[in-house]
Short mmCIF file of all heavy atoms in Angstrom, two decimals:
data_model
loop_
_atom_site.label_atom_id
_atom_site.label_comp_id
_atom_site.label_asym_id
_atom_site.label_seq_id
_atom_site.Cartn_x
_atom_site.Cartn_y
_atom_site.Cartn_z
N VAL A 145 10.43 -4.23 3.43
CA VAL A 145 9.17 -4.14 4.17
C VAL A 145 8.53 -5.48 4.35
O VAL A 145 7.55 -5.62 5.11
CB VAL A 145 8.17 -3.18 3.61
CG1 VAL A 145 8.85 -1.82 3.38
CG2 VAL A 145 7.62 -3.72 2.25
N LYS A 146 9.01 -6.56 3.73
CA LYS A 146 8.39 -7.85 3.74
C LYS A 146 8.42 -8.36 5.18
O LYS A 146 9.36 -8.31 5.93
CB LYS A 146 9.17 -8.87 2.88
CG LYS A 146 8.43 -10.18 2.74
CD LYS A 146 9.13 -11.05 1.68
CE LYS A 146 8.36 -12.36 1.51
NZ LYS A 146 9.03 -13.20 0.49
N GLY A 147 7.22 -8.83 5.60
CA GLY A 147 6.99 -9.33 6.93
C GLY A 147 6.56 -8.24 7.93
O GLY A 147 6.08 -8.58 9.02
N ARG A 148 6.60 -6.99 7.52
CA ARG A 148 6.13 -5.87 8.34
C ARG A 148 4.92 -5.18 7.76
O ARG A 148 4.07 -4.70 8.52
CB ARG A 148 7.28 -4.83 8.54
CG ARG A 148 8.51 -5.39 9.19
CD ARG A 148 9.50 -4.33 9.53
NE ARG A 148 10.01 -3.64 8.33
CZ ARG A 148 9.84 -2.38 8.08
NH1 ARG A 148 9.24 -1.58 8.96
NH2 ARG A 148 10.36 -1.84 6.95
N PHE A 149 4.81 -5.08 6.42
CA PHE A 149 3.73 -4.42 5.81
C PHE A 149 2.81 -5.41 5.09
O PHE A 149 3.28 -6.44 4.59
CB PHE A 149 4.26 -3.43 4.69
CG PHE A 149 5.02 -2.25 5.19
CD1 PHE A 149 5.40 -2.12 6.52
CD2 PHE A 149 5.37 -1.23 4.31
CE1 PHE A 149 6.07 -0.99 6.97
CE2 PHE A 149 6.03 -0.09 4.74
CZ PHE A 149 6.42 0.00 6.05
N THR A 150 1.54 -5.10 5.02
CA THR A 150 0.57 -5.93 4.38
C THR A 150 -0.33 -5.08 3.51
O THR A 150 -0.95 -4.12 4.05
CB THR A 150 -0.26 -6.75 5.36
OG1 THR A 150 0.56 -7.58 6.20
CG2 THR A 150 -1.25 -7.65 4.60
N ILE A 151 -0.44 -5.40 2.23
CA ILE A 151 -1.35 -4.69 1.33
C ILE A 151 -2.60 -5.52 1.20
O ILE A 151 -2.59 -6.70 1.07
CB ILE A 151 -0.71 -4.41 0.00
CG1 ILE A 151 -1.57 -3.47 -0.82
CG2 ILE A 151 -0.37 -5.66 -0.77
CD1 ILE A 151 -0.94 -2.92 -2.14
N SER A 152 -3.74 -4.80 1.10
CA SER A 152 -5.05 -5.45 0.90
C SER A 152 -5.91 -4.55 0.03
O SER A 152 -5.56 -3.33 -0.19
CB SER A 152 -5.72 -5.72 2.20
OG SER A 152 -5.96 -4.51 2.96
N LYS A 153 -7.01 -5.04 -0.44
CA LYS A 153 -7.88 -4.25 -1.30
C LYS A 153 -9.32 -4.63 -1.07
O LYS A 153 -9.63 -5.72 -0.63
CB LYS A 153 -7.50 -4.35 -2.77
CG LYS A 153 -7.75 -5.73 -3.36
CD LYS A 153 -7.55 -5.72 -4.88
CE LYS A 153 -7.81 -7.06 -5.48
NZ LYS A 153 -7.74 -7.01 -6.97
N ASP A 154 -10.18 -3.70 -1.43
CA ASP A 154 -11.60 -3.91 -1.42
C ASP A 154 -12.13 -3.45 -2.80
O ASP A 154 -12.23 -2.32 -3.09
CB ASP A 154 -12.25 -3.05 -0.34
CG ASP A 154 -13.75 -3.39 -0.15
OD1 ASP A 154 -14.39 -3.76 -1.15
OD2 ASP A 154 -14.27 -3.24 0.98
N ASN A 155 -12.43 -4.43 -3.61
CA ASN A 155 -12.86 -4.19 -5.00
C ASN A 155 -14.14 -3.33 -5.06
O ASN A 155 -14.28 -2.48 -5.88
CB ASN A 155 -13.04 -5.46 -5.73
CG ASN A 155 -11.75 -6.24 -6.02
OD1 ASN A 155 -10.71 -5.63 -6.03
ND2 ASN A 155 -11.87 -7.51 -6.24
N ALA A 156 -15.06 -3.64 -4.17
CA ALA A 156 -16.34 -2.93 -4.16
C ALA A 156 -16.17 -1.42 -3.88
O ALA A 156 -16.93 -0.64 -4.34
CB ALA A 156 -17.30 -3.56 -3.18
N LYS A 157 -15.16 -1.12 -3.06
CA LYS A 157 -14.93 0.25 -2.70
C LYS A 157 -13.78 0.94 -3.47
O LYS A 157 -13.50 2.12 -3.25
CB LYS A 157 -14.59 0.37 -1.21
CG LYS A 157 -15.71 -0.15 -0.29
CD LYS A 157 -15.27 -0.07 1.19
CE LYS A 157 -16.36 -0.54 2.08
NZ LYS A 157 -15.93 -0.46 3.54
N ASN A 158 -13.17 0.20 -4.44
CA ASN A 158 -12.10 0.71 -5.26
C ASN A 158 -10.99 1.26 -4.25
O ASN A 158 -10.46 2.34 -4.50
CB ASN A 158 -12.52 1.80 -6.20
CG ASN A 158 -13.45 1.30 -7.29
OD1 ASN A 158 -13.28 0.08 -7.75
ND2 ASN A 158 -14.44 2.10 -7.72
N ALA A 159 -10.72 0.47 -3.26
CA ALA A 159 -9.78 0.93 -2.24
C ALA A 159 -8.64 -0.10 -2.02
O ALA A 159 -8.80 -1.33 -2.22
CB ALA A 159 -10.52 1.16 -0.95
N ALA A 160 -7.54 0.42 -1.58
CA ALA A 160 -6.35 -0.38 -1.18
C ALA A 160 -5.85 0.18 0.12
O ALA A 160 -5.80 1.39 0.33
CB ALA A 160 -5.30 -0.36 -2.25
N ASN A 161 -5.43 -0.74 0.99
CA ASN A 161 -4.86 -0.36 2.30
C ASN A 161 -3.49 -0.92 2.43
O ASN A 161 -3.13 -1.90 1.82
CB ASN A 161 -5.70 -0.90 3.43
CG ASN A 161 -7.16 -0.41 3.37
OD1 ASN A 161 -7.40 0.83 3.25
ND2 ASN A 161 -8.11 -1.27 3.43
N LEU A 162 -2.71 -0.22 3.26
CA LEU A 162 -1.35 -0.70 3.58
C LEU A 162 -1.22 -0.67 5.05
O LEU A 162 -1.14 0.37 5.67
CB LEU A 162 -0.26 0.21 2.92
CG LEU A 162 1.15 -0.28 3.12
CD1 LEU A 162 1.40 -1.61 2.33
CD2 LEU A 162 2.14 0.81 2.63
N GLN A 163 -1.20 -1.81 5.67
CA GLN A 163 -0.98 -1.98 7.08
C GLN A 163 0.53 -2.03 7.39
O GLN A 163 1.20 -2.91 6.88
CB GLN A 163 -1.66 -3.20 7.70
CG GLN A 163 -1.44 -3.45 9.17
CD GLN A 163 -2.09 -2.34 10.00
OE1 GLN A 163 -3.23 -1.97 9.77
NE2 GLN A 163 -1.34 -1.82 10.99
N MET A 164 1.07 -1.05 8.13
CA MET A 164 2.47 -0.97 8.36
C MET A 164 2.75 -1.21 9.87
O MET A 164 2.25 -0.38 10.70
CB MET A 164 2.97 0.41 7.95
CG MET A 164 2.72 0.76 6.49
SD MET A 164 3.46 2.30 5.95
CE MET A 164 2.59 3.48 6.99
N ASN A 165 3.46 -2.27 10.14
CA ASN A 165 3.83 -2.62 11.54
C ASN A 165 5.31 -2.56 11.75
O ASN A 165 6.04 -2.59 10.76
CB ASN A 165 3.24 -4.02 11.88
CG ASN A 165 1.75 -4.17 11.81
OD1 ASN A 165 1.01 -3.17 12.11
ND2 ASN A 165 1.30 -5.34 11.38
N SER A 166 5.70 -2.50 12.98
CA SER A 166 7.10 -2.51 13.29
C SER A 166 7.89 -1.42 12.51
O SER A 166 8.93 -1.70 11.91
CB SER A 166 7.77 -3.86 13.12
OG SER A 166 7.09 -4.85 13.86
N LEU A 167 7.34 -0.22 12.48
CA LEU A 167 7.88 0.81 11.67
C LEU A 167 9.29 1.23 12.12
O LEU A 167 9.60 1.20 13.38
CB LEU A 167 6.97 2.01 11.65
CG LEU A 167 5.73 1.85 10.77
CD1 LEU A 167 4.67 2.89 11.16
CD2 LEU A 167 6.13 2.02 9.34
N LYS A 168 10.12 1.56 11.18
CA LYS A 168 11.48 2.00 11.42
C LYS A 168 11.66 3.41 10.87
O LYS A 168 10.99 3.86 9.98
CB LYS A 168 12.45 1.07 10.67
CG LYS A 168 12.31 -0.39 11.04
CD LYS A 168 13.23 -1.26 10.16
CE LYS A 168 13.08 -2.77 10.46
NZ LYS A 168 13.95 -3.59 9.63
N PRO A 169 12.64 4.13 11.43
CA PRO A 169 12.91 5.47 10.93
C PRO A 169 13.16 5.50 9.43
O PRO A 169 12.78 6.49 8.75
CB PRO A 169 14.19 5.92 11.70
CG PRO A 169 14.08 5.18 12.97
CD PRO A 169 13.45 3.83 12.63
N GLU A 170 13.79 4.46 8.88
CA GLU A 170 14.03 4.42 7.41
C GLU A 170 12.77 4.28 6.61
O GLU A 170 12.80 4.35 5.38
CB GLU A 170 15.03 3.34 7.08
CG GLU A 170 14.71 1.98 7.69
CD GLU A 170 15.45 1.70 8.95
OE1 GLU A 170 15.55 2.64 9.81
OE2 GLU A 170 16.04 0.60 9.10
N ASP A 171 11.64 4.01 7.22
CA ASP A 171 10.36 4.01 6.53
C ASP A 171 9.79 5.41 6.24
O ASP A 171 8.78 5.54 5.56
CB ASP A 171 9.30 3.19 7.30
CG ASP A 171 9.68 1.71 7.43
OD1 ASP A 171 10.19 1.18 6.42
OD2 ASP A 171 9.46 1.13 8.48
N THR A 172 10.42 6.41 6.89
CA THR A 172 9.95 7.74 6.70
C THR A 172 10.00 8.18 5.20
O THR A 172 11.05 8.05 4.56
CB THR A 172 10.80 8.70 7.53
OG1 THR A 172 10.64 8.46 8.91
CG2 THR A 172 10.44 10.19 7.24
N ALA A 173 8.87 8.64 4.67
CA ALA A 173 8.81 8.99 3.25
C ALA A 173 7.36 9.47 3.03
O ALA A 173 6.46 9.37 3.88
CB ALA A 173 9.08 7.77 2.37
N VAL A 174 7.20 10.03 1.79
CA VAL A 174 5.86 10.32 1.27
C VAL A 174 5.37 9.02 0.62
O VAL A 174 6.11 8.55 -0.28
CB VAL A 174 5.83 11.51 0.35
CG1 VAL A 174 4.46 11.69 -0.20
CG2 VAL A 174 6.26 12.75 1.07
N TYR A 175 4.24 8.55 0.97
CA TYR A 175 3.73 7.34 0.43
C TYR A 175 2.62 7.68 -0.61
O TYR A 175 1.73 8.40 -0.33
CB TYR A 175 3.14 6.40 1.50
CG TYR A 175 4.22 5.69 2.28
CD1 TYR A 175 5.01 6.38 3.15
CD2 TYR A 175 4.40 4.34 2.16
CE1 TYR A 175 6.02 5.78 3.87
CE2 TYR A 175 5.39 3.69 2.83
CZ TYR A 175 6.21 4.42 3.73
OH TYR A 175 7.22 3.73 4.42
N TYR A 176 2.81 7.08 -1.82
CA TYR A 176 1.88 7.35 -2.92
C TYR A 176 1.16 6.05 -3.33
O TYR A 176 1.72 4.96 -3.28
CB TYR A 176 2.64 7.81 -4.19
CG TYR A 176 3.40 9.11 -3.94
CD1 TYR A 176 4.72 9.11 -3.46
CD2 TYR A 176 2.76 10.33 -4.22
CE1 TYR A 176 5.37 10.27 -3.31
CE2 TYR A 176 3.47 11.54 -4.06
CZ TYR A 176 4.74 11.49 -3.62
OH TYR A 176 5.42 12.65 -3.44
N CYS A 177 -0.12 6.22 -3.66
CA CYS A 177 -0.94 5.08 -4.18
C CYS A 177 -0.97 5.16 -5.75
O CYS A 177 -1.15 6.27 -6.32
CB CYS A 177 -2.33 5.17 -3.65
SG CYS A 177 -3.38 3.82 -4.23
N LYS A 178 -0.75 4.06 -6.38
CA LYS A 178 -0.82 3.97 -7.85
C LYS A 178 -1.90 3.01 -8.22
O LYS A 178 -1.86 1.80 -7.83
CB LYS A 178 0.55 3.51 -8.42
CG LYS A 178 0.56 3.34 -9.94
CD LYS A 178 1.94 2.73 -10.34
CE LYS A 178 1.99 2.46 -11.87
NZ LYS A 178 3.24 1.83 -12.25
N VAL A 179 -2.82 3.45 -9.03
CA VAL A 179 -3.92 2.58 -9.51
C VAL A 179 -3.74 2.42 -11.02
O VAL A 179 -3.58 3.41 -11.80
CB VAL A 179 -5.25 3.25 -9.20
CG1 VAL A 179 -6.36 2.37 -9.75
CG2 VAL A 179 -5.39 3.47 -7.70
N VAL A 180 -3.69 1.21 -11.48
CA VAL A 180 -3.58 0.90 -12.93
C VAL A 180 -4.91 0.41 -13.40
O VAL A 180 -5.43 -0.62 -12.90
CB VAL A 180 -2.45 -0.11 -13.16
CG1 VAL A 180 -2.39 -0.45 -14.65
CG2 VAL A 180 -1.12 0.44 -12.76
N LEU A 181 -5.44 1.06 -14.37
CA LEU A 181 -6.75 0.66 -14.99
C LEU A 181 -6.53 0.04 -16.35
O LEU A 181 -5.63 0.48 -17.08
CB LEU A 181 -7.66 1.91 -15.18
CG LEU A 181 -7.93 2.75 -13.94
CD1 LEU A 181 -8.88 3.90 -14.32
CD2 LEU A 181 -8.50 1.95 -12.82
N ARG A 182 -7.38 -0.96 -16.67
CA ARG A 182 -7.39 -1.54 -18.02
C ARG A 182 -8.43 -0.71 -18.74
O ARG A 182 -9.63 -0.89 -18.50
CB ARG A 182 -7.70 -3.00 -17.98
CG ARG A 182 -7.72 -3.58 -19.40
CD ARG A 182 -8.05 -5.07 -19.39
NE ARG A 182 -9.43 -5.33 -18.96
CZ ARG A 182 -10.50 -5.17 -19.69
NH1 ARG A 182 -10.38 -4.75 -20.94
NH2 ARG A 182 -11.66 -5.40 -19.16
N THR A 183 -8.02 0.18 -19.60
CA THR A 183 -8.93 1.02 -20.30
C THR A 183 -9.75 0.21 -21.33
O THR A 183 -10.99 0.28 -21.30
CB THR A 183 -8.15 2.15 -21.04
OG1 THR A 183 -7.36 2.88 -20.16
CG2 THR A 183 -9.16 3.08 -21.73
N THR A 184 -9.06 -0.55 -22.16
CA THR A 184 -9.75 -1.45 -23.13
C THR A 184 -8.69 -2.32 -23.71
O THR A 184 -7.53 -1.91 -23.91
CB THR A 184 -10.44 -0.67 -24.20
OG1 THR A 184 -11.10 -1.62 -25.10
CG2 THR A 184 -9.53 0.19 -25.07
#
């Protein structure tokens, strides 16, 4: 996906985005977000 997808985040909103361009049929999938927290 390098060169086609871009990940970004907004710390204030606890949000992450994935901009996907030039999509291909092989990109078909269920997309999941994973958030890793530092508990302590």
Side-chain angles (χ1 to χ4, degrees):
V145 307
K146 190 173 183 179
R148 300 187 297 120
F149 291 10
T150 302
I151 188 170
S152 61
K153 67 172 181 174
D154 186 331
N155 292 336
K157 298 179 180 179
N158 294 327
N161 300 309
L162 185 68
Q163 179 65 46
M164 305 185 294
N165 298 326
S166 302
L167 284 162
K168 305 174 180 179
E170 49 263 46
D171 295 319
T172 296
V174 177
Y175 284 71
Y176 299 89
C177 181
K178 178 186 178 183
V179 179
V180 177
L181 306 182
R182 183 181 64 80
T183 305
T184 182

